[in-house]
Amino acid sequence: MEVHPGMPVERPAAAPGLAASPGQLLALIRSSPEGISRASLLELTGMARSTLYERLDALFAAGLAYEAEPLRSTGGRRARRIRFDDRQKVLVAIDAGQTHAAVHLLTPAHAVLASTVFRWDASGPADAAVDLFASAARELLAGRTPVGTGLGLPAPVEASGAAGLGRSVLGHWDLPGALARLEEALGCAVVIENDARAMAVGEAGAADEGLVAVKVSTGIGCGIVVDGALVRGAHGAAGDIGHVRIPEAEGRTCRCGRAGCLAAAASGRALLAEPGLQHCRSLADLARAHDAGDPAVLAAVAQAGRLTGSVLAAVVATVNPARVALGGVVGLLGTFVQAVREEIAERVFEDVLTGLEIGPSRASHPIPIGLSRLVMQALYAPARIDALLAQAARPAALRGTGAS
């Protein structure tokens, strides 16, 4: 399934006074989690009562909306709430890093129900990875079929899913083939996104007109939200700051094969390769040593933060965000956060710093939440719902939405 560039962070899709197609009507219903009355829908859409009722009946029949408990009475017959039918529906979110992966089960409202984390090696074959992801997901699903799956990858991802991995850690993958295999294994559509951009979508709230989200774990990635829209770039590489060359990394070879990349000096992989940090065998060890006040670890993490901040300063000056959110095992370390904050403050013009918040991620599960939002936006896009309802006579037509 294609995820279009610039896909907005989920917001109410109301256009008062405009007649709504069934798909647009469902978007209005979805934007009202507590339910909405027929009278309110008539007022918002401006359509004829008979047309509204006809389109609601189509949504009810497709299992996309339902009449819930009555609203508070204002005299006369009590109207019933119209709700998006998310009952019994679940989604899968797969957060695949370079050395570990996490599979999550979520509700359509983006609440995490269950999770499992396991080791995997991104340099291995795609088919083995997909089989591993699918097996973990099926265990969480316990016989249920998800309405959709989001797959976050540590590499550039184009909207078509046809290319974009290039010289990344997943350059050996046949991505379309892997997606087809995963869709067949889980029986649902799969939406893919770069993991750091998924983090940005999961981290962004309604008030975040501008957000820069940075994940620093084994590698380094960045996601950008501007005016409520996710920035993906012409070829899916927007935010790939880990491969910006910096003087301090000169002579260091990056996993991409080039020398001098930020990731070669400031990523978790780079930190674990430092001669003075050989007592840290994993990023979990590194985090524990940091929290215990290990001087060598504190110094190395601070330097990684300064280098990352030096590259981020240009992004911040260009985007002028309201917030920079840091995540990942390394990105959440206090010494790293403080170094990034100080470096940006040193390099960026004061006007850009006005009101800017730089700190750890606020969301407890930003990547799976972001993937869940992207899946819901793709599956329930008005144009897609309209097309599926037009084929409603064919029972399989609505399989991708979980409707019957």
Side-chain angles (χ1 to χ4, degrees), residues 211-224:
L211 170 76
V212 173
V214 184
K215 179 188 177 187
V216 185
S217 195
T218 302
I220 300 177
C222 174
I224 303 167

Side-chain angles (χ1 to χ4, degrees), residues 53-102:
Y53 286 15
E54 178 185 353
R55 292 178 180 176
L56 283 176
D57 285 343
L59 295 175
F60 296 156
L64 294 167
Y66 71 103
E67 289 189 293
E69 70 279 2
L71 293 158
R72 183 177 300 175
S73 177
T74 56
R77 182 179 179 182
R78 298 175 69 188
R80 300 184 71 84
R81 298 175 190 266
I82 309 297
R83 289 181 182 265
F84 168 60
D85 197 346
D86 60 357
R87 299 171 298 181
Q88 308 305 315
K89 292 184 174 72
V90 292
L91 299 91
V92 171
I94 302 169
D95 175 11
Q98 294 187 28
T99 61
H100 289 78

Side-chain angles (χ1 to χ4, degrees), residues 32-373:
S32 305
E34 300 304 316
I36 189 169
S37 68
R38 293 173 187 256
S40 294
L41 289 172
L42 285 169
E43 182 180 352
L44 284 168
T45 64
M47 66 173 61
R49 184 181 300 271
S50 59
T51 303
L52 173 69
Y53 286 15
E54 178 185 353
R55 292 178 180 176
L56 283 176
D57 285 343
L59 295 175
F60 296 156
L64 294 167
Y66 71 103
E67 289 189 293
E69 70 279 2
L71 293 158
R72 183 177 300 175
S73 177
T74 56
R77 182 179 179 182
R78 298 175 69 188
R80 300 184 71 84
R81 298 175 190 266
I82 309 297
R83 289 181 182 265
F84 168 60
D85 197 346
D86 60 357
R87 299 171 298 181
Q88 308 305 315
K89 292 184 174 72
V90 292
L91 299 91
V92 171
I94 302 169
D95 175 11
Q98 294 187 28
T99 61
H100 289 78
V103 177
H104 307 267
L105 197 64
L106 300 96
T107 70
H110 321 305
V112 177
L113 299 172
S115 304
T116 183
V117 181
F118 48 90
R119 290 189 60 85
W120 84 296
D121 186 353
S123 64
D127 285 355
V130 168
D131 291 346
L132 186 62
F133 299 158
S135 176
R138 284 194 293 264
E139 186 171 340
L140 292 180
L141 287 163
R144 289 173 288 186
T145 299
V147 295
T149 293
L151 174 61
L153 298 174
V157 173
E158 286 197 78
S160 65
L165 298 182
R167 291 191 295 176
S168 76
V169 68
L170 298 180
H172 59 294
W173 275 34
D174 166 20
L175 188 53
L179 292 180
R181 187 182 183 96
L182 187 58
E183 288 185 343
E184 181 178 3
L186 296 181
C188 65
V190 175
V191 172
I192 58 170
E193 187 50 90
N194 167 263
D195 57 354
R197 287 202 296 265
M199 174 186 165
V201 174
E203 185 70 21
D208 282 315
E209 292 299 315
L211 170 76
V212 173
V214 184
K215 179 188 177 187
V216 185
S217 195
T218 302
I220 300 177
C222 174
I224 303 167
V225 172
V226 176
D227 291 334
L230 179 63
V231 178
R232 305 184 81 252
H235 302 292
D240 198 7
I241 64 170
H243 299 292
V244 173
R245 282 174 165 160
I246 57 173
E248 294 85 351
E250 186 176 350
R252 299 192 183 196
T253 301
C254 180
R255 194 169 185 179
C256 73
R258 303 193 316 163
C261 293
L262 171 65
S267 68
R269 180 181 297 277
L271 287 171
L272 292 178
E274 289 286 340
L277 302 185
Q278 294 306 297
H279 56 295
C280 297
R281 301 180 63 86
S282 68
L283 291 185
D285 288 345
L286 183 81
R288 282 190 290 268
H290 172 276
D291 293 344
D294 184 313
V297 170
L298 292 175
V301 169
Q303 174 65 359
R306 284 190 289 270
L307 296 179
T308 303
S310 70
V311 173
L312 270 180
V315 177
V316 169
T318 301
V319 176
N320 188 200
R323 190 157 63 98
V324 174
L326 301 171
V329 177
V330 177
L332 289 172
L333 297 177
T335 303
F336 186 92
V337 173
Q338 185 60 28
V340 168
R341 189 180 288 138
E342 291 173 356
E343 194 69 21
I344 291 175
E346 175 68 24
R347 291 174 177 266
V348 173
F349 187 55
E350 288 84 352
D351 287 358
V352 178
L353 296 173
T354 302
L356 175 64
E357 177 187 337
I358 303 172
S361 169
R362 295 175 185 169
S364 58
H365 296 90
I367 294 177
I369 290 172
L371 291 170
S372 173
R373 286 177 174 171

